[in-house]
Amino acid sequence: MVNVLLRLGVTEHFGVPILDVDMVMGSLENAMASTGGFCVGRSYVVGHQRLSGLGYCFSASLPPLLATAASEGLKIINEQPERVARVQRFAVAVHRGLEAAFEGSNFEVQGVELSPMKHIVYNGDDAEKKLDALVDRLFDEASIMITRARYLERDELYPVTPSARLMVQSEMSEDEVERALVAIATIVEDLFIYPSHSYLLCCTLLNLCLYLDLFGLDLCYSLDLCYSYKELISSLFLPYVLVLILLHIALRLYLLPYLPFS
C-alpha cells in the first residue's frame, strides 16, 4: 500500500533491503482512491514487462482522470506527511479496538496494526451469513459502511477465507472512530455472544427445575402436574409455579435451539 505503512512500504516495514527484491509492486487502489498500480524492479524484469505488456497499453491502461487523481494523491501525501501519521494512529486504535470488541467471540481482525485496511473474519459455521449480517446491520443501524472482500475464487491459487473489509481514513475524527467501534462491538455481541447468554440462562433454569425436583415439586413439565401438587403448596406460591411453567415453555420453544448440542 503506497506510502501508508512506512515511506518505503512493506520492504522497510519488514527490514528487507530494497536491492534484494527483484520486483516491487504498488497499488493505487486503496491509499490513493484510484485504480491500477505500478511495478519497479531490475532492468531485466522491467524489460520483460515492457515487451510482454505492449498489447495491453491501449486496452487496459489507467484512464487519464484516475492517473491524475493518483498523481495528485501522492503529491498531497508528500506535502502533508501529518496525514500519514494520523491515519497510522487511527489504524492502530481501530485494530486494538476491534481486538477488544471481538474478544470472546469467533470474530477476528487480521492485518498489520499500522495498515488502514482491516480484514474481519469469522472462525465458525455460517461465516458468510455472519459477515453479511455484520455489514448490513452496521449500515442500517449505525450508517457505517464496510464491505465484503470479493475474489475470483476459481482463479485463486489458495483457498480464500471469507472476510469483511474495513478501511480507516485520515480525515476521520476521534469521535467517529469511537462511534464505529462501539457500533461494531454492539452488533458483534448480538450476533455471537447472545447465544452463550441464552445457554447460561438455560443452565440456570434447568438447575432450578432440578432443585425443585429434589423436593418432590416437579413443576416444570405440565400444568396437570402443577395442579397435582396443589395440596403441597399454598396459594401464595402458585403464581411462582405458573411463572416457572411459562419459563419452561420459553425454554423449549426459544432457548434450546441455541444450545451447542441442538
Side-chain angles (χ1 to χ4, degrees), residues 1 4 27-33 87 90-91 94-95 98 114-120 138 144-148 164-172 176-177 180 184:
M1 195 173 296
V4 172
S27 172
L28 303 174
E29 182 176 349
N30 300 301
M32 298 295 103
V87 76
F90 286 158
V94 169
H95 193 97
L98 290 176
L114 283 176
S115 173
M117 180 187 294
K118 312 296 181 184
H119 280 272
I120 300 172
L138 275 175
I144 296 173
M145 180 179 290
I146 65 175
T147 184
R148 286 294 309 278
R165 190 175 65 179
L166 182 150
M167 297 293 296
V168 181
Q169 300 178 359
S170 63
E171 294 302 309
M172 297 175 67
E176 289 174 330
V177 172
I184 291 173

PDB file of all heavy atoms in Angstrom, residues 1 4 27-33 87 90-91 94-95 98 114-120 138 144-148 164-172 176-177 180 184:
ATOM      1  N   MET A   1       0.849  -1.176   0.000  1.00  0.00           N
ATOM      2  CA  MET A   1       0.000   0.000   0.000  1.00  0.00           C
ATOM      3  C   MET A   1       0.891   1.235   0.000  1.00  0.00           C
ATOM      4  O   MET A   1       1.748   1.400   0.866  1.00  0.00           O
ATOM      5  CB  MET A   1      -0.912  -0.008   1.223  1.00  0.00           C
ATOM      6  CG  MET A   1      -2.049   0.967   1.135  1.00  0.00           C
ATOM      7  SD  MET A   1      -3.178   0.761   2.517  1.00  0.00           S
ATOM      8  CE  MET A   1      -3.767  -0.888   2.177  1.00  0.00           C
ATOM      9  N   VAL A   4       1.758   4.218   3.075  1.00  0.00           N
ATOM     10  CA  VAL A   4       0.883   4.142   4.236  1.00  0.00           C
ATOM     11  C   VAL A   4       1.568   3.422   5.386  1.00  0.00           C
ATOM     12  O   VAL A   4       1.586   3.908   6.510  1.00  0.00           O
ATOM     13  CB  VAL A   4      -0.450   3.451   3.875  1.00  0.00           C
ATOM     14  CG1 VAL A   4      -1.270   3.206   5.125  1.00  0.00           C
ATOM     15  CG2 VAL A   4      -1.235   4.321   2.908  1.00  0.00           C
ATOM     16  N   SER A  27       0.025  -0.635  -5.215  1.00  0.00           N
ATOM     17  CA  SER A  27      -1.364  -0.456  -5.631  1.00  0.00           C
ATOM     18  C   SER A  27      -1.792   0.985  -5.394  1.00  0.00           C
ATOM     19  O   SER A  27      -1.500   1.575  -4.355  1.00  0.00           O
ATOM     20  CB  SER A  27      -2.282  -1.400  -4.845  1.00  0.00           C
ATOM     21  OG  SER A  27      -3.638  -1.107  -5.114  1.00  0.00           O
ATOM     22  N   LEU A  28      -2.476   1.541  -6.374  1.00  0.00           N
ATOM     23  CA  LEU A  28      -3.044   2.883  -6.249  1.00  0.00           C
ATOM     24  C   LEU A  28      -4.522   2.832  -5.886  1.00  0.00           C
ATOM     25  O   LEU A  28      -5.183   3.864  -5.825  1.00  0.00           O
ATOM     26  CB  LEU A  28      -2.869   3.645  -7.568  1.00  0.00           C
ATOM     27  CG  LEU A  28      -1.430   3.789  -8.078  1.00  0.00           C
ATOM     28  CD1 LEU A  28      -1.424   4.442  -9.452  1.00  0.00           C
ATOM     29  CD2 LEU A  28      -0.591   4.589  -7.097  1.00  0.00           C
ATOM     30  N   GLU A  29      -5.023   1.628  -5.637  1.00  0.00           N
ATOM     31  CA  GLU A  29      -6.465   1.460  -5.487  1.00  0.00           C
ATOM     32  C   GLU A  29      -6.968   1.879  -4.118  1.00  0.00           C
ATOM     33  O   GLU A  29      -8.072   2.406  -3.994  1.00  0.00           O
ATOM     34  CB  GLU A  29      -6.836  -0.002  -5.739  1.00  0.00           C
ATOM     35  CG  GLU A  29      -8.325  -0.278  -5.653  1.00  0.00           C
ATOM     36  CD  GLU A  29      -8.655  -1.709  -6.014  1.00  0.00           C
ATOM     37  OE1 GLU A  29      -7.764  -2.405  -6.532  1.00  0.00           O
ATOM     38  OE2 GLU A  29      -9.787  -2.132  -5.768  1.00  0.00           O
ATOM     39  N   ASN A  30      -6.183   1.655  -3.067  1.00  0.00           N
ATOM     40  CA  ASN A  30      -6.693   1.875  -1.716  1.00  0.00           C
ATOM     41  C   ASN A  30      -6.254   3.219  -1.142  1.00  0.00           C
ATOM     42  O   ASN A  30      -7.074   4.092  -0.876  1.00  0.00           O
ATOM     43  CB  ASN A  30      -6.234   0.728  -0.810  1.00  0.00           C
ATOM     44  CG  ASN A  30      -6.746  -0.615  -1.295  1.00  0.00           C
ATOM     45  OD1 ASN A  30      -7.942  -0.831  -1.412  1.00  0.00           O
ATOM     46  ND2 ASN A  30      -5.833  -1.522  -1.603  1.00  0.00           N
ATOM     47  N   ALA A  31      -4.956   3.390  -0.948  1.00  0.00           N
ATOM     48  CA  ALA A  31      -4.476   4.629  -0.344  1.00  0.00           C
ATOM     49  C   ALA A  31      -4.723   5.838  -1.235  1.00  0.00           C
ATOM     50  O   ALA A  31      -4.969   6.942  -0.745  1.00  0.00           O
ATOM     51  CB  ALA A  31      -2.983   4.511  -0.025  1.00  0.00           C
ATOM     52  N   MET A  32      -4.690   5.646  -2.558  1.00  0.00           N
ATOM     53  CA  MET A  32      -4.845   6.758  -3.490  1.00  0.00           C
ATOM     54  C   MET A  32      -6.280   6.944  -3.975  1.00  0.00           C
ATOM     55  O   MET A  32      -6.559   7.874  -4.726  1.00  0.00           O
ATOM     56  CB  MET A  32      -3.944   6.554  -4.716  1.00  0.00           C
ATOM     57  CG  MET A  32      -2.462   6.511  -4.420  1.00  0.00           C
ATOM     58  SD  MET A  32      -1.827   8.073  -3.802  1.00  0.00           S
ATOM     59  CE  MET A  32      -1.683   7.694  -2.057  1.00  0.00           C
ATOM     60  N   ALA A  33      -7.169   6.043  -3.585  1.00  0.00           N
ATOM     61  CA  ALA A  33      -8.570   6.114  -4.026  1.00  0.00           C
ATOM     62  C   ALA A  33      -8.670   6.159  -5.547  1.00  0.00           C
ATOM     63  O   ALA A  33      -9.486   6.874  -6.125  1.00  0.00           O
ATOM     64  CB  ALA A  33      -9.272   7.319  -3.408  1.00  0.00           C
ATOM     65  N   VAL A  87      -3.365   8.749   9.959  1.00  0.00           N
ATOM     66  CA  VAL A  87      -4.036   7.511   9.569  1.00  0.00           C
ATOM     67  C   VAL A  87      -3.389   6.307  10.249  1.00  0.00           C
ATOM     68  O   VAL A  87      -4.066   5.329  10.582  1.00  0.00           O
ATOM     69  CB  VAL A  87      -4.040   7.351   8.031  1.00  0.00           C
ATOM     70  CG1 VAL A  87      -2.691   6.929   7.506  1.00  0.00           C
ATOM     71  CG2 VAL A  87      -5.099   6.338   7.606  1.00  0.00           C
ATOM     72  N   PHE A  90      -4.861   6.267  13.812  1.00  0.00           N
ATOM     73  CA  PHE A  90      -6.225   5.749  13.792  1.00  0.00           C
ATOM     74  C   PHE A  90      -6.245   4.253  13.479  1.00  0.00           C
ATOM     75  O   PHE A  90      -7.067   3.506  14.021  1.00  0.00           O
ATOM     76  CB  PHE A  90      -7.062   6.509  12.767  1.00  0.00           C
ATOM     77  CG  PHE A  90      -7.447   7.896  13.192  1.00  0.00           C
ATOM     78  CD1 PHE A  90      -7.798   8.855  12.257  1.00  0.00           C
ATOM     79  CD2 PHE A  90      -7.463   8.246  14.526  1.00  0.00           C
ATOM     80  CE1 PHE A  90      -8.159  10.133  12.648  1.00  0.00           C
ATOM     81  CE2 PHE A  90      -7.818   9.522  14.934  1.00  0.00           C
ATOM     82  CZ  PHE A  90      -8.163  10.471  13.989  1.00  0.00           C
ATOM     83  N   ALA A  91      -5.346   3.813  12.588  1.00  0.00           N
ATOM     84  CA  ALA A  91      -5.306   2.393  12.222  1.00  0.00           C
ATOM     85  C   ALA A  91      -4.964   1.530  13.431  1.00  0.00           C
ATOM     86  O   ALA A  91      -5.573   0.475  13.649  1.00  0.00           O
ATOM     87  CB  ALA A  91      -4.293   2.171  11.102  1.00  0.00           C
ATOM     88  N   VAL A  94      -8.011   1.549  15.832  1.00  0.00           N
ATOM     89  CA  VAL A  94      -9.099   0.704  15.337  1.00  0.00           C
ATOM     90  C   VAL A  94      -8.741  -0.773  15.474  1.00  0.00           C
ATOM     91  O   VAL A  94      -9.579  -1.594  15.866  1.00  0.00           O
ATOM     92  CB  VAL A  94      -9.417   1.060  13.871  1.00  0.00           C
ATOM     93  CG1 VAL A  94     -10.346   0.021  13.248  1.00  0.00           C
ATOM     94  CG2 VAL A  94     -10.048   2.441  13.790  1.00  0.00           C
ATOM     95  N   HIS A  95      -7.496  -1.120  15.161  1.00  0.00           N
ATOM     96  CA  HIS A  95      -7.073  -2.522  15.258  1.00  0.00           C
ATOM     97  C   HIS A  95      -7.225  -3.031  16.692  1.00  0.00           C
ATOM     98  O   HIS A  95      -7.795  -4.108  16.927  1.00  0.00           O
ATOM     99  CB  HIS A  95      -5.624  -2.654  14.800  1.00  0.00           C
ATOM    100  CG  HIS A  95      -5.189  -4.065  14.566  1.00  0.00           C
ATOM    101  ND1 HIS A  95      -5.174  -4.648  13.320  1.00  0.00           N
ATOM    102  CD2 HIS A  95      -4.769  -5.032  15.426  1.00  0.00           C
ATOM    103  CE1 HIS A  95      -4.758  -5.894  13.414  1.00  0.00           C
ATOM    104  NE2 HIS A  95      -4.500  -6.151  14.687  1.00  0.00           N
ATOM    105  N   LEU A  98     -10.917  -3.248  17.684  1.00  0.00           N
ATOM    106  CA  LEU A  98     -11.580  -4.427  17.130  1.00  0.00           C
ATOM    107  C   LEU A  98     -11.187  -5.686  17.892  1.00  0.00           C
ATOM    108  O   LEU A  98     -12.028  -6.564  18.134  1.00  0.00           O
ATOM    109  CB  LEU A  98     -11.227  -4.577  15.649  1.00  0.00           C
ATOM    110  CG  LEU A  98     -11.827  -3.535  14.698  1.00  0.00           C
ATOM    111  CD1 LEU A  98     -11.307  -3.746  13.284  1.00  0.00           C
ATOM    112  CD2 LEU A  98     -13.347  -3.589  14.714  1.00  0.00           C
ATOM    113  N   LEU A 114      -0.528  -1.122  11.698  1.00  0.00           N
ATOM    114  CA  LEU A 114      -0.328   0.153  11.016  1.00  0.00           C
ATOM    115  C   LEU A 114      -1.122   0.268   9.719  1.00  0.00           C
ATOM    116  O   LEU A 114      -1.297   1.366   9.198  1.00  0.00           O
ATOM    117  CB  LEU A 114       1.157   0.359  10.712  1.00  0.00           C
ATOM    118  CG  LEU A 114       2.052   0.789  11.877  1.00  0.00           C
ATOM    119  CD1 LEU A 114       3.499   0.860  11.425  1.00  0.00           C
ATOM    120  CD2 LEU A 114       1.605   2.128  12.431  1.00  0.00           C
ATOM    121  N   SER A 115      -1.580  -0.843   9.195  1.00  0.00           N
ATOM    122  CA  SER A 115      -2.305  -0.807   7.925  1.00  0.00           C
ATOM    123  C   SER A 115      -3.722  -0.288   8.139  1.00  0.00           C
ATOM    124  O   SER A 115      -4.430  -0.752   9.040  1.00  0.00           O
ATOM    125  CB  SER A 115      -2.358  -2.200   7.303  1.00  0.00           C
ATOM    126  OG  SER A 115      -3.204  -2.198   6.163  1.00  0.00           O
ATOM    127  N   PRO A 116      -4.180   0.646   7.320  1.00  0.00           N
ATOM    128  CA  PRO A 116      -5.558   1.136   7.454  1.00  0.00           C
ATOM    129  C   PRO A 116      -6.596   0.168   6.907  1.00  0.00           C
ATOM    130  O   PRO A 116      -7.787   0.406   7.065  1.00  0.00           O
ATOM    131  CB  PRO A 116      -5.544   2.439   6.649  1.00  0.00           C
ATOM    132  CG  PRO A 116      -4.472   2.240   5.643  1.00  0.00           C
ATOM    133  CD  PRO A 116      -3.426   1.396   6.295  1.00  0.00           C
ATOM    134  N   MET A 117      -6.165  -0.906   6.268  1.00  0.00           N
ATOM    135  CA  MET A 117      -7.105  -1.909   5.768  1.00  0.00           C
ATOM    136  C   MET A 117      -7.179  -3.062   6.763  1.00  0.00           C
ATOM    137  O   MET A 117      -6.174  -3.710   7.047  1.00  0.00           O
ATOM    138  CB  MET A 117      -6.684  -2.435   4.395  1.00  0.00           C
ATOM    139  CG  MET A 117      -7.644  -3.490   3.838  1.00  0.00           C
ATOM    140  SD  MET A 117      -7.037  -4.260   2.312  1.00  0.00           S
ATOM    141  CE  MET A 117      -7.088  -2.864   1.211  1.00  0.00           C
ATOM    142  N   LYS A 118      -8.371  -3.306   7.285  1.00  0.00           N
ATOM    143  CA  LYS A 118      -8.588  -4.387   8.244  1.00  0.00           C
ATOM    144  C   LYS A 118      -9.523  -5.425   7.630  1.00  0.00           C
ATOM    145  O   LYS A 118     -10.564  -5.073   7.070  1.00  0.00           O
ATOM    146  CB  LYS A 118      -9.211  -3.851   9.540  1.00  0.00           C
ATOM    147  CG  LYS A 118      -8.525  -2.627  10.118  1.00  0.00           C
ATOM    148  CD  LYS A 118      -7.103  -2.915  10.547  1.00  0.00           C
ATOM    149  CE  LYS A 118      -6.454  -1.671  11.142  1.00  0.00           C
ATOM    150  NZ  LYS A 118      -5.027  -1.898  11.476  1.00  0.00           N
ATOM    151  N   HIS A 119      -9.135  -6.676   7.756  1.00  0.00           N
ATOM    152  CA  HIS A 119      -9.998  -7.766   7.312  1.00  0.00           C
ATOM    153  C   HIS A 119     -10.606  -8.435   8.544  1.00  0.00           C
ATOM    154  O   HIS A 119      -9.887  -8.870   9.445  1.00  0.00           O
ATOM    155  CB  HIS A 119      -9.214  -8.785   6.487  1.00  0.00           C
ATOM    156  CG  HIS A 119      -9.007  -8.365   5.069  1.00  0.00           C
ATOM    157  ND1 HIS A 119      -9.915  -8.643   4.067  1.00  0.00           N
ATOM    158  CD2 HIS A 119      -8.014  -7.655   4.486  1.00  0.00           C
ATOM    159  CE1 HIS A 119      -9.478  -8.139   2.928  1.00  0.00           C
ATOM    160  NE2 HIS A 119      -8.330  -7.537   3.154  1.00  0.00           N
ATOM    161  N   ILE A 120     -11.927  -8.502   8.565  1.00  0.00           N
ATOM    162  CA  ILE A 120     -12.665  -9.125   9.659  1.00  0.00           C
ATOM    163  C   ILE A 120     -13.124 -10.498   9.190  1.00  0.00           C
ATOM    164  O   ILE A 120     -13.822 -10.615   8.179  1.00  0.00           O
ATOM    165  CB  ILE A 120     -13.876  -8.267  10.071  1.00  0.00           C
ATOM    166  CG1 ILE A 120     -13.406  -6.881  10.534  1.00  0.00           C
ATOM    167  CG2 ILE A 120     -14.675  -8.953  11.166  1.00  0.00           C
ATOM    168  CD1 ILE A 120     -14.545  -5.910  10.779  1.00  0.00           C
ATOM    169  N   LEU A 138     -24.413  -2.855  10.294  1.00  0.00           N
ATOM    170  CA  LEU A 138     -23.624  -1.640  10.502  1.00  0.00           C
ATOM    171  C   LEU A 138     -24.150  -0.503   9.636  1.00  0.00           C
ATOM    172  O   LEU A 138     -24.212   0.652  10.077  1.00  0.00           O
ATOM    173  CB  LEU A 138     -22.152  -1.905  10.186  1.00  0.00           C
ATOM    174  CG  LEU A 138     -21.294  -2.491  11.304  1.00  0.00           C
ATOM    175  CD1 LEU A 138     -19.899  -2.813  10.798  1.00  0.00           C
ATOM    176  CD2 LEU A 138     -21.216  -1.529  12.484  1.00  0.00           C
ATOM    177  N   ILE A 144     -22.676   3.077   9.045  1.00  0.00           N
ATOM    178  CA  ILE A 144     -21.250   2.816   8.858  1.00  0.00           C
ATOM    179  C   ILE A 144     -21.111   1.801   7.726  1.00  0.00           C
ATOM    180  O   ILE A 144     -21.725   0.735   7.768  1.00  0.00           O
ATOM    181  CB  ILE A 144     -20.606   2.281  10.145  1.00  0.00           C
ATOM    182  CG1 ILE A 144     -20.683   3.345  11.250  1.00  0.00           C
ATOM    183  CG2 ILE A 144     -19.160   1.867   9.905  1.00  0.00           C
ATOM    184  CD1 ILE A 144     -20.224   2.851  12.595  1.00  0.00           C
ATOM    185  N   MET A 145     -20.318   2.148   6.736  1.00  0.00           N
ATOM    186  CA  MET A 145     -20.200   1.288   5.564  1.00  0.00           C
ATOM    187  C   MET A 145     -18.863   0.551   5.569  1.00  0.00           C
ATOM    188  O   MET A 145     -17.801   1.171   5.542  1.00  0.00           O
ATOM    189  CB  MET A 145     -20.329   2.103   4.275  1.00  0.00           C
ATOM    190  CG  MET A 145     -20.211   1.252   3.007  1.00  0.00           C
ATOM    191  SD  MET A 145     -20.402   2.210   1.487  1.00  0.00           S
ATOM    192  CE  MET A 145     -22.153   2.615   1.590  1.00  0.00           C
ATOM    193  N   ILE A 146     -18.934  -0.763   5.652  1.00  0.00           N
ATOM    194  CA  ILE A 146     -17.801  -1.623   5.347  1.00  0.00           C
ATOM    195  C   ILE A 146     -18.266  -2.552   4.233  1.00  0.00           C
ATOM    196  O   ILE A 146     -19.443  -2.567   3.877  1.00  0.00           O
ATOM    197  CB  ILE A 146     -17.314  -2.419   6.579  1.00  0.00           C
ATOM    198  CG1 ILE A 146     -18.382  -3.412   7.047  1.00  0.00           C
ATOM    199  CG2 ILE A 146     -16.952  -1.485   7.715  1.00  0.00           C
ATOM    200  CD1 ILE A 146     -17.907  -4.316   8.175  1.00  0.00           C
ATOM    201  N   THR A 147     -17.375  -3.301   3.666  1.00  0.00           N
ATOM    202  CA  THR A 147     -17.749  -4.110   2.511  1.00  0.00           C
ATOM    203  C   THR A 147     -17.200  -5.518   2.651  1.00  0.00           C
ATOM    204  O   THR A 147     -16.248  -5.753   3.407  1.00  0.00           O
ATOM    205  CB  THR A 147     -17.216  -3.472   1.210  1.00  0.00           C
ATOM    206  OG1 THR A 147     -17.671  -4.233   0.087  1.00  0.00           O
ATOM    207  CG2 THR A 147     -15.696  -3.446   1.204  1.00  0.00           C
ATOM    208  N   ARG A 148     -17.803  -6.437   1.948  1.00  0.00           N
ATOM    209  CA  ARG A 148     -17.280  -7.794   1.876  1.00  0.00           C
ATOM    210  C   ARG A 148     -16.139  -7.836   0.873  1.00  0.00           C
ATOM    211  O   ARG A 148     -16.215  -7.242  -0.199  1.00  0.00           O
ATOM    212  CB  ARG A 148     -18.382  -8.762   1.449  1.00  0.00           C
ATOM    213  CG  ARG A 148     -19.417  -9.071   2.521  1.00  0.00           C
ATOM    214  CD  ARG A 148     -18.802  -9.833   3.691  1.00  0.00           C
ATOM    215  NE  ARG A 148     -18.056 -10.991   3.236  1.00  0.00           N
ATOM    216  CZ  ARG A 148     -18.621 -12.162   2.929  1.00  0.00           C
ATOM    217  NH1 ARG A 148     -19.919 -12.324   3.047  1.00  0.00           N
ATOM    218  NH2 ARG A 148     -17.875 -13.173   2.529  1.00  0.00           N
ATOM    219  N   ALA A 164     -14.786  -9.503   5.798  1.00  0.00           N
ATOM    220  CA  ALA A 164     -15.317  -8.164   5.547  1.00  0.00           C
ATOM    221  C   ALA A 164     -14.155  -7.188   5.644  1.00  0.00           C
ATOM    222  O   ALA A 164     -13.257  -7.357   6.470  1.00  0.00           O
ATOM    223  CB  ALA A 164     -16.404  -7.812   6.555  1.00  0.00           C
ATOM    224  N   ARG A 165     -14.169  -6.168   4.807  1.00  0.00           N
ATOM    225  CA  ARG A 165     -13.043  -5.236   4.733  1.00  0.00           C
ATOM    226  C   ARG A 165     -13.445  -3.875   5.296  1.00  0.00           C
ATOM    227  O   ARG A 165     -14.443  -3.293   4.889  1.00  0.00           O
ATOM    228  CB  ARG A 165     -12.570  -5.091   3.288  1.00  0.00           C
ATOM    229  CG  ARG A 165     -11.265  -4.337   3.142  1.00  0.00           C
ATOM    230  CD  ARG A 165     -10.793  -4.338   1.714  1.00  0.00           C
ATOM    231  NE  ARG A 165     -11.698  -3.612   0.842  1.00  0.00           N
ATOM    232  CZ  ARG A 165     -11.501  -3.438  -0.462  1.00  0.00           C
ATOM    233  NH1 ARG A 165     -10.450  -3.981  -1.037  1.00  0.00           N
ATOM    234  NH2 ARG A 165     -12.360  -2.765  -1.186  1.00  0.00           N
ATOM    235  N   LEU A 166     -12.650  -3.408   6.237  1.00  0.00           N
ATOM    236  CA  LEU A 166     -12.871  -2.107   6.868  1.00  0.00           C
ATOM    237  C   LEU A 166     -11.671  -1.218   6.567  1.00  0.00           C
ATOM    238  O   LEU A 166     -10.529  -1.632   6.736  1.00  0.00           O
ATOM    239  CB  LEU A 166     -13.054  -2.281   8.374  1.00  0.00           C
ATOM    240  CG  LEU A 166     -13.340  -1.044   9.229  1.00  0.00           C
ATOM    241  CD1 LEU A 166     -14.178  -1.432  10.446  1.00  0.00           C
ATOM    242  CD2 LEU A 166     -12.049  -0.377   9.713  1.00  0.00           C
ATOM    243  N   MET A 167     -11.936   0.009   6.120  1.00  0.00           N
ATOM    244  CA  MET A 167     -10.872   0.949   5.778  1.00  0.00           C
ATOM    245  C   MET A 167     -10.887   2.129   6.743  1.00  0.00           C
ATOM    246  O   MET A 167     -11.947   2.663   7.071  1.00  0.00           O
ATOM    247  CB  MET A 167     -11.046   1.455   4.346  1.00  0.00           C
ATOM    248  CG  MET A 167     -10.938   0.379   3.281  1.00  0.00           C
ATOM    249  SD  MET A 167      -9.283  -0.320   3.139  1.00  0.00           S
ATOM    250  CE  MET A 167      -8.352   1.112   2.600  1.00  0.00           C
ATOM    251  N   VAL A 168      -9.697   2.528   7.193  1.00  0.00           N
ATOM    252  CA  VAL A 168      -9.529   3.690   8.065  1.00  0.00           C
ATOM    253  C   VAL A 168      -9.038   4.858   7.215  1.00  0.00           C
ATOM    254  O   VAL A 168      -8.143   4.686   6.380  1.00  0.00           O
ATOM    255  CB  VAL A 168      -8.522   3.391   9.193  1.00  0.00           C
ATOM    256  CG1 VAL A 168      -8.366   4.597  10.105  1.00  0.00           C
ATOM    257  CG2 VAL A 168      -8.969   2.172   9.988  1.00  0.00           C
ATOM    258  N   GLN A 169      -9.617   6.036   7.426  1.00  0.00           N
ATOM    259  CA  GLN A 169      -9.260   7.215   6.644  1.00  0.00           C
ATOM    260  C   GLN A 169      -8.581   8.258   7.525  1.00  0.00           C
ATOM    261  O   GLN A 169      -8.861   8.361   8.726  1.00  0.00           O
ATOM    262  CB  GLN A 169     -10.503   7.826   6.001  1.00  0.00           C
ATOM    263  CG  GLN A 169     -11.237   6.898   5.055  1.00  0.00           C
ATOM    264  CD  GLN A 169     -12.490   7.534   4.489  1.00  0.00           C
ATOM    265  OE1 GLN A 169     -12.822   8.672   4.812  1.00  0.00           O
ATOM    266  NE2 GLN A 169     -13.185   6.800   3.643  1.00  0.00           N
ATOM    267  N   SER A 170      -7.728   9.050   6.902  1.00  0.00           N
ATOM    268  CA  SER A 170      -7.019  10.093   7.652  1.00  0.00           C
ATOM    269  C   SER A 170      -7.946  11.230   8.054  1.00  0.00           C
ATOM    270  O   SER A 170      -7.654  11.964   9.005  1.00  0.00           O
ATOM    271  CB  SER A 170      -5.866  10.651   6.811  1.00  0.00           C
ATOM    272  OG  SER A 170      -6.360  11.276   5.635  1.00  0.00           O
ATOM    273  N   GLU A 171      -9.059  11.397   7.343  1.00  0.00           N
ATOM    274  CA  GLU A 171      -9.974  12.502   7.631  1.00  0.00           C
ATOM    275  C   GLU A 171     -11.007  12.152   8.693  1.00  0.00           C
ATOM    276  O   GLU A 171     -11.868  12.977   9.007  1.00  0.00           O
ATOM    277  CB  GLU A 171     -10.687  12.933   6.349  1.00  0.00           C
ATOM    278  CG  GLU A 171      -9.759  13.532   5.305  1.00  0.00           C
ATOM    279  CD  GLU A 171      -9.003  14.741   5.840  1.00  0.00           C
ATOM    280  OE1 GLU A 171      -9.653  15.645   6.397  1.00  0.00           O
ATOM    281  OE2 GLU A 171      -7.771  14.769   5.716  1.00  0.00           O
ATOM    282  N   MET A 172     -10.941  10.958   9.229  1.00  0.00           N
ATOM    283  CA  MET A 172     -11.872  10.585  10.293  1.00  0.00           C
ATOM    284  C   MET A 172     -11.522  11.338  11.572  1.00  0.00           C
ATOM    285  O   MET A 172     -10.361  11.674  11.822  1.00  0.00           O
ATOM    286  CB  MET A 172     -11.820   9.079  10.546  1.00  0.00           C
ATOM    287  CG  MET A 172     -12.246   8.228   9.370  1.00  0.00           C
ATOM    288  SD  MET A 172     -12.018   6.457   9.674  1.00  0.00           S
ATOM    289  CE  MET A 172     -13.230   6.191  10.976  1.00  0.00           C
ATOM    290  N   GLU A 176     -15.682   9.765  15.508  1.00  0.00           N
ATOM    291  CA  GLU A 176     -16.173   8.815  14.512  1.00  0.00           C
ATOM    292  C   GLU A 176     -15.550   7.439  14.710  1.00  0.00           C
ATOM    293  O   GLU A 176     -16.230   6.414  14.570  1.00  0.00           O
ATOM    294  CB  GLU A 176     -15.873   9.339  13.110  1.00  0.00           C
ATOM    295  CG  GLU A 176     -16.719  10.532  12.705  1.00  0.00           C
ATOM    296  CD  GLU A 176     -16.307  11.109  11.367  1.00  0.00           C
ATOM    297  OE1 GLU A 176     -15.108  11.007  11.017  1.00  0.00           O
ATOM    298  OE2 GLU A 176     -17.175  11.670  10.673  1.00  0.00           O
ATOM    299  N   VAL A 177     -14.269   7.409  15.039  1.00  0.00           N
ATOM    300  CA  VAL A 177     -13.604   6.129  15.302  1.00  0.00           C
ATOM    301  C   VAL A 177     -14.234   5.444  16.505  1.00  0.00           C
ATOM    302  O   VAL A 177     -14.538   4.244  16.474  1.00  0.00           O
ATOM    303  CB  VAL A 177     -12.096   6.348  15.526  1.00  0.00           C
ATOM    304  CG1 VAL A 177     -11.435   5.057  16.004  1.00  0.00           C
ATOM    305  CG2 VAL A 177     -11.431   6.829  14.243  1.00  0.00           C
ATOM    306  N   ALA A 180     -17.756   4.145  15.702  1.00  0.00           N
ATOM    307  CA  ALA A 180     -17.708   2.946  14.868  1.00  0.00           C
ATOM    308  C   ALA A 180     -17.360   1.714  15.694  1.00  0.00           C
ATOM    309  O   ALA A 180     -17.971   0.646  15.532  1.00  0.00           O
ATOM    310  CB  ALA A 180     -16.697   3.137  13.738  1.00  0.00           C
ATOM    311  N   ILE A 184     -19.735  -1.576  16.235  1.00  0.00           N
ATOM    312  CA  ILE A 184     -19.272  -2.916  15.868  1.00  0.00           C
ATOM    313  C   ILE A 184     -19.343  -3.848  17.067  1.00  0.00           C
ATOM    314  O   ILE A 184     -19.800  -4.994  16.960  1.00  0.00           O
ATOM    315  CB  ILE A 184     -17.840  -2.844  15.306  1.00  0.00           C
ATOM    316  CG1 ILE A 184     -17.840  -2.132  13.953  1.00  0.00           C
ATOM    317  CG2 ILE A 184     -17.245  -4.241  15.163  1.00  0.00           C
ATOM    318  CD1 ILE A 184     -16.456  -1.873  13.394  1.00  0.00           C
TER     319      ILE A 184
END
